[in-house]
């Protein structure tokens, strides 16, 4: 990891502190005693960082208890972050970066491929860039990141996407160019979920800090930053800004939907040059509720390819059961299974077979567009993303037998208001107005103040627990989908530890579904996750029971 600030000060400070940490650990013999020595010798940042070898960064009160005494005011503190003129939030990130460097394994030689085209590097700091549209834009983005990494001597590039479909597009395009150098965190070019990257920015524990070190060892490109929750958006943007400064890497967000970004968030903003391909899509709002049976009958009668997007996994499974020959793309299937489903859809597209896809997750753009898209009423941002996959008519519908998602109530009301005023979901000005009003409705100054106070007071554990994604709404269920998964989950059973890579084999259940699966002995609990021990359906995954409720499975 480079860990250089623009003025090079942080790089020399980090190097000196790493050497001091090695010396103290040799003297003390164990991690906690070494941290206590650092507490007496100074600087205080080093003691907090070295405490991470004993479990984590902790909150300040617990850290002080573990360290045993108040740090002395030594002149060595002049060599700490005071010399780097860091703001309090940057100082918080500095301690996290130092802990990540202390815990990281030795850096391997870079295996990054050479950039194959002459392209401009990414702007310094946190920036907003333009990179066109469609699956092919990933090559341009990656080439810019490679050019940047090679110029800085950095060994790693990260691409992070908000949606599963965008991840699949990036993986497909980049693997065609760079082969096996593209994949998860352990690959030179990593393609990850945006929520995983954002979660790592508040890393506090021994098992996460080395992953942060890996993440921030080279340029980071983010797609879908506008999807972050409005109530925590200011804090997440602050973490991104401070990480870019402290780790000395370029962090670039891609233009997506029109969004009212706060002033002075980005160090530079490139103009948007590409227009949305969804502008010509016809949008129809059907206000009379339909049943799943009614919709299935209409789809059977229509020509061309169809995509149906629902928010409920169980309802999507029932509809897929009613539409024989359809393909289910749902989080009831693990990601590796979903990728296989997409590969099958590509083959059917190439042979010009008509497609019917029922989804709770939008398919990747590499599949092409659909003649008709049926989308359950949802926030405008979701509808705009679905319009990108349509070349005919986007139907926005309500159901008589599918419960609306209650967490979307205010966003759906806002979307209805904008649609009733004659605005189109595909227009940039509509998207910007939607996001602006959503920010106004969902802004939570008290929460932002609390999170920022946790940062300035160096309460790392509290901050990490406050920024947990999917908290209480879904439970991961690990699936023995293929031979690699069988081997991986055997080690999970014996060690009781679930590595991040295991989540590529995780389908998801609601907490009540998970509890029922354990009671039926279909799954075994490992604390925050389950291992599936019942048969896993090769087409419908964990949704097989819901499909069987409407027709007999083959």
């Amino acid at each position: 990891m480079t860990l250089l600030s623009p003025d090079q000060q942080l790089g020399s400070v980090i190097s000196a502190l790493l050497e001091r940490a090695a010396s103290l650990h040799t003297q003390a013999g164990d991690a906690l005693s070494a941290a206590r020595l650092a507490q007496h010798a100074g600087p205080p940042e080093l003691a907090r960082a070295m405490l991470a070898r004993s479990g984590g960064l902790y909150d300040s009160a617990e850290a002080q208890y573990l360290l045993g005494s108040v740090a002395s005011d030594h002149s060595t503190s002049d060599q700490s972050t005071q010399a780097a003129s860091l703001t309090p939030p940057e100082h918080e990130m500095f301690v996290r970066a130092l802990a990540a460097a202390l815990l990281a394994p030795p850096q391997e030689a870079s295996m990054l491929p050479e950039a194959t085209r002459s392209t401009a590097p990414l702007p310094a700091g946190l920036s907003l860039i333009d990179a066109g549209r469609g699956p092919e834009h990933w090559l341009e983005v990656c080439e810019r990141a490679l050019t940047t990494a090679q110029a800085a001597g950095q060994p790693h590039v990260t691409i992070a996407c908000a949606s599963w479909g965008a991840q699949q597009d990036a993986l497909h395009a980049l693997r065609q160019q760079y082969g096996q150098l593209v994949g998860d965190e352990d690959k030179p070019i990593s393609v990850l979920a945006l929520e995983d990257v954002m979660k790592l920015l508040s890393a506090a524990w021994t098992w996460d800090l080395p992953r942060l070190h890996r993440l921030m060892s080279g340029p980071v490109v983010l797609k879908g930053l506008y999807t972050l929750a409005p109530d925590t958006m200011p804090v997440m943007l602050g973490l991104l800004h401070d990480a870019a400064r402290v780790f000395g890497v370029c962090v670039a967000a891609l233009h997506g939907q029109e969004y009212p970004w706060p002033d002075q968030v980005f160090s530079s903003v490139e103009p948007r040059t590409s227009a949305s391909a969804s502008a010509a899509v016809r949008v129809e709002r059907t206000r009379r509720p339909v049943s799943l049976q009614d919709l299935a009958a209409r789809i059977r009668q229509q020509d061309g390819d169809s995509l149906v997007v629902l928010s409920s996994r169980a309802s999507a499974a029932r509809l897929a059961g009613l539409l024989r020959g359809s393909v289910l793309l749902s989080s009831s299937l693990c990601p590796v299974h979903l990728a296989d489903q997409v590969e099958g859809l590509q083959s059917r597209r190439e042979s010009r077979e008509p497609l019917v896809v029922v989804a709770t997750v939008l398919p990747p753009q590499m599949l092409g567009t659909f003649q008709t898209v049926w989308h359950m009423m949802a926030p405008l941002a979701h509808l705009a993303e679905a319009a990108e996959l349509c070349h005919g008519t986007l139907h926005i519908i309500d159901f008589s037998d599918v419960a609306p998602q209650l967490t979307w109530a205010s966003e759906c009301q806002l979307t209805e208001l904008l649609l009733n005023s004659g605005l189109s979901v595909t227009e940039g000005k509509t998207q910007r107005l939607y996001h602006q009003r959503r920010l106004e409705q969902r802004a939570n100054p008290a929460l932002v103040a609390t999170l920022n106070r946790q940062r300035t007071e160096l309460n790392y554990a509290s901050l990490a627990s406050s920024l947990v994604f999917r908290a209480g709404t879904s439970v991961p269920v690990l699936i023995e989908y293929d031979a690699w998964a069988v081997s991986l989950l055997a080690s999970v059973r014996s060690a009781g530890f679930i590595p991040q890579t295991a989540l590529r084999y995780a389908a998801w259940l609601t907490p009540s579904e998970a509890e029922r699966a354990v009671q039926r002995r279909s799954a075994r609990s490992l604390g925050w996750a389950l291992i599936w021990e019942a048969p896993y359906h090769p087409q419908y995954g964990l949704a097989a029971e819901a499909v069987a409720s409407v027709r007999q499975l083959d």
Side-chain angles (χ1 to χ4, degrees):
M1 182 171 59
T2 308
L3 279 170
L4 297 178
S5 67
D7 57 11
Q8 304 294 302
Q9 287 179 321
L10 289 181
S12 59
V13 170
I14 287 283
S15 297
L17 292 178
L18 290 177
E19 291 178 5
R20 183 185 295 272
S23 174
L24 291 171
H25 195 273
T26 300
Q27 294 177 45
D30 66 84
L32 184 56
S33 297
R36 287 172 173 168
L37 277 180
Q39 178 79 343
H40 286 283
E45 293 90 352
L46 183 59
R48 284 298 297 270
M50 291 183 69
L51 197 57
R53 286 175 168 163
S54 299
L57 289 169
Y58 304 103
D59 283 350
S60 286
E62 187 172 7
Q64 195 60 58
Y65 172 79
L66 291 170
L67 291 172
S69 64
V70 178
S72 301
D73 183 18
H74 290 270
S75 60
T76 52
S77 64
D78 293 337
Q79 300 170 13
S80 71
T81 54
Q82 296 175 17
S85 301
L86 296 180
T87 65
E90 288 172 343
H91 177 258
E92 184 259 8
M93 183 60 71
F94 177 88
V95 175
R96 183 182 290 111
L98 179 57
L102 287 167
L103 291 170
Q107 182 172 298
E108 298 179 359
S110 175
M111 296 293 292
L112 278 180
E114 294 288 333
T116 59
R117 64 182 77 175
S118 177
T119 185
L122 297 173
L126 175 62
S127 62
L128 185 64
I129 67 171
D130 183 69
R133 293 179 180 271
E136 64 281 353
H137 82 283
W138 288 114
L139 286 177
E140 178 184 345
V141 167
C142 192
E143 287 286 303
R144 293 188 68 177
L146 287 173
T147 299
T148 305
Q150 288 158 8
Q154 296 167 335
H156 188 232
V157 165
T158 299
I159 307 287
C161 307
S163 71
W164 172 81
Q167 278 183 267
Q168 294 305 300
D169 282 327
L171 283 168
H172 179 76
L174 298 180
R175 279 176 174 161
Q176 283 188 324
Q177 182 72 20
Y178 309 112
Q180 294 305 307
L181 296 176
V182 179
D184 287 325
E185 293 178 27
D186 58 337
K187 298 294 185 180
I189 302 174
S190 300
V191 179
L192 309 176
L194 178 66
E195 69 177 54
D196 291 337
V197 167
M198 301 309 292
K199 182 172 69 173
L200 281 179
L201 293 175
S202 60
W205 305 110
T206 301
W207 50 87
D208 278 335
L209 287 162
R211 296 176 56 219
L212 175 65
H213 179 278
R214 172 71 171 170
L215 170 69
M216 301 306 292
S217 63
V220 179
V221 179
L222 310 171
K223 184 178 180 68
L225 195 59
Y226 64 87
T227 63
L228 297 179
D231 51 358
T232 57
M233 175 74 85
V235 179
M236 302 312 299
L237 291 176
L239 285 166
L240 274 175
H241 171 276
D242 299 338
R245 164 85 201 281
V246 169
F247 285 89
V249 299
C250 298
V251 179
L254 300 181
H255 276 296
Q257 294 184 16
E258 293 281 355
Y259 192 90
W261 297 108
D263 293 337
Q264 300 179 335
V265 167
F266 300 106
S267 58
S268 66
V269 177
E270 295 180 358
R272 185 192 299 268
T273 59
S274 54
S276 171
S278 64
V281 172
R282 180 184 176 193
V283 180
E284 289 190 1
R285 174 71 173 108
T286 303
R287 300 187 185 281
R288 180 181 178 183
V290 300
S291 67
L292 291 173
Q293 287 273 10
D294 293 337
L295 180 58
R298 291 182 65 178
I299 291 173
R300 291 191 204 101
Q301 295 171 1
Q302 74 177 29
D303 296 325
D305 297 334
S306 293
L307 168 65
V308 186
V309 185
L310 301 171
S311 60
S312 163
R313 289 188 292 263
S315 298
R318 291 198 299 272
L319 182 59
L322 294 169
L323 291 165
R324 285 187 176 272
S326 66
V327 175
L328 178 66
L329 298 180
S330 162
S331 53
S332 296
L333 285 62
C334 71
V336 178
H337 189 179
L338 282 171
D340 288 345
Q341 295 280 74
V342 169
E343 187 174 334
L345 286 169
Q346 283 183 290
S347 298
R348 291 175 61 179
R349 265 276 163 91
E350 291 169 1
S351 61
R352 299 185 180 279
E353 292 182 45
L355 298 183
V356 176
V357 177
V358 181
T360 62
V361 291
L362 288 180
Q365 292 183 354
M366 63 183 173
L367 286 179
T369 55
F370 295 78
Q371 174 66 33
T372 309
V373 175
W374 306 84
H375 203 300
M376 185 176 180
M377 183 59 187
L380 188 136
H382 295 243
L383 301 176
E385 290 173 352
E388 296 282 348
L389 295 171
C390 184
H391 64 263
T393 304
L394 168 63
H395 296 273
I396 305 172
I397 55 178
D398 296 318
F399 286 94
S400 58
D401 53 353
V402 178
Q405 189 156 322
L406 296 179
T407 55
W408 286 351
S410 61
E411 283 91 345
C412 286
Q413 290 174 1
L414 174 57
T415 300
E416 286 280 23
L417 181 65
L418 295 174
L419 293 177
N420 290 340
S421 66
L423 296 174
S424 171
V425 299
T426 62
E427 293 182 3
K429 65 178 181 181
T430 309
Q431 297 167 11
R432 186 178 184 86
L433 182 59
Y434 166 82
H435 288 296
Q436 180 63 57
R437 293 189 180 178
R438 181 170 176 256
L439 282 170
E440 294 168 355
Q441 291 178 357
R442 295 279 301 276
N444 190 338
L447 175 61
V448 171
T450 296
L451 295 174
N452 283 333
R453 185 169 60 252
Q454 289 171 350
R455 293 197 65 195
T456 58
E457 294 177 354
L458 305 186
N459 288 328
Y460 292 96
S462 294
L463 180 71
S465 64
S466 299
L467 294 174
V468 170
F469 293 82
R470 295 198 198 221
T473 60
S474 298
V475 177
V477 184
L478 305 177
I479 309 296
E480 292 180 327
Y481 180 71
D482 56 22
W484 198 91
V486 171
S487 173
L488 173 66
L489 297 189
S491 67
V492 167
R493 284 187 177 95
S494 62
F497 173 74
I498 304 175
Q500 184 70 18
T501 52
L503 293 182
R504 74 178 77 172
Y505 291 104
W508 296 82
L509 294 175
T510 64
S512 60
E513 290 170 338
E515 183 178 0
R516 188 163 62 250
V518 173
Q519 290 172 347
R520 293 177 175 178
R521 298 188 177 179
S522 297
R524 171 188 169 191
S525 176
L526 291 176
W528 61 275
L530 307 181
I531 289 184
W532 192 252
E533 298 188 333
Y536 178 79
H537 196 275
Q539 185 176 0
Y540 299 115
L542 300 187
E545 183 178 352
V547 175
S549 70
V550 295
R551 72 169 172 86
Q552 186 174 357
L553 290 173
D554 299 331

